[in-house]
């Protein structure tokens, strides 16, 4: 006998099937919905979650940052070759406590903008909001990227391509 819960799950999966043209992003949208629940907003181009709590364990990886400001996935495929060939389409935004704006001005050392840009295009800084957005191919790579930035801000490491590559490839 088929359970009602199983029918509802199957119906939900059928309704979501083929939302995005990019098949990798579409498959990951399904995974994210199963992982963190129904998106806060959705369109045929983007689905997003505001203030989601990410699971502590994601496969074999232990997430270091589980409380984030936003996760969103866009129907896009951005080819990226550092530190290995892959496609980016999922974003995680996190407000960096040390970067909180003061008196209407950003507090980020502007040299960091250039230094992070020299590491990877997957690091997006919003100086007015004091946020980091990681754009990668999955939540694990986003978590690694955010924590790379946090370690730089804390003075634990320098914004170095080799250090970033080591962390991403070691995931």
């Amino acid at each position: 006998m088929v359970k009602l819960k199983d029918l509802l799950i199957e119906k939900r999966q059928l309704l979501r099937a083929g939302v995005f043209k990019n098949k990798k992003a579409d498959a990951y949208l399904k995974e994210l919905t199963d992982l963190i629940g129904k998106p806060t907003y959705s369109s045929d181009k983007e689905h997003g979650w505001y203030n989601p709590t990410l699971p502590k364990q994601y496969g074999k990886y232990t997430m270091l940052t589980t409380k984030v400001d936003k996760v969103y996935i866009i129907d896009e495929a951005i080819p990226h070759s550092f530190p290995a060939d892959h496609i980016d389409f999922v974003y995680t935004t996190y407000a960096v406590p040390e970067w909180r704006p003061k008196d209407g001005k950003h507090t980020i050392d502007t040299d960091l903008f250039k230094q992070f840009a020299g590491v990877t295009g997957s690091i997006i800084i919003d100086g007015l909001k004091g946020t980091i957005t990681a754009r990668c191919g999955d939540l694990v790579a986003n978590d690694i990227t955010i924590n790379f930035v946090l370690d730089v801000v804390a003075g634990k490491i320098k914004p170095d391509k080799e250090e970033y590559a080591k962390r991403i490839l070691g995931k």
Side-chain angles (χ1 to χ4, degrees):
M1 187 164 140
V2 178
K3 294 180 181 177
L4 180 59
K5 180 181 174 186
D6 293 335
L7 285 173
L8 291 173
I9 290 170
E10 185 178 2
K11 182 179 179 184
R12 189 174 72 187
Q13 289 172 339
L14 286 172
L15 289 173
R16 286 196 323 254
V19 173
F20 292 158
K21 291 177 184 168
N22 174 2
K23 297 212 183 301
K24 286 186 178 186
D26 195 59
Y28 204 64
L29 170 60
K30 291 174 190 136
E31 184 174 332
L32 285 177
T33 302
D34 290 341
L35 188 69
I36 56 180
K38 181 182 175 189
T40 307
Y41 68 90
S42 60
S43 74
D44 61 338
K45 298 287 183 198
E46 181 177 330
H47 286 222
W49 296 259
Y50 289 111
N51 302 308
T53 298
L54 304 177
K56 186 71 176 162
Q57 206 60 41
Y58 186 34
K60 294 180 181 181
Y61 180 78
T62 301
M63 301 287 277
L64 300 174
T65 304
T66 58
K67 299 279 188 184
V68 297
D69 296 280
K70 184 178 178 184
V71 170
Y72 57 106
I73 185 167
I74 299 177
D75 186 10
E76 64 185 6
I78 300 174
H80 193 31
S81 62
F82 178 78
D85 289 340
H86 65 285
I87 305 240
D88 288 350
F89 45 75
V90 65
Y91 299 71
T92 303
T93 300
Y94 178 77
V96 178
E98 295 87 347
W99 287 354
R100 287 195 183 113
K102 290 182 179 70
D103 302 322
K105 298 177 183 174
H106 74 76
T107 61
I108 305 166
D109 178 355
T110 54
D111 286 338
L112 280 179
F113 284 87
K114 182 178 178 182
Q115 291 171 12
F116 283 129
V119 172
T120 177
S122 294
I123 297 172
I124 305 162
I125 298 170
D126 186 324
L128 293 178
K129 292 180 180 178
T131 60
I132 168 70
T133 298
R135 177 187 55 225
C136 299
D138 61 41
L139 291 181
V140 171
N142 284 357
D143 188 62
I144 292 167
T145 300
I146 287 169
N147 283 283
F148 172 80
V149 170
L150 294 176
D151 285 349
V152 170
V153 171
K156 295 178 183 177
I157 60 169
K158 299 283 184 204
D160 180 79
K161 281 181 85 79
E162 289 74 27
E163 175 65 22
Y164 179 75
K166 180 179 82 173
R167 289 176 179 214
I168 289 288
L169 296 173
K171 71 177 185 170

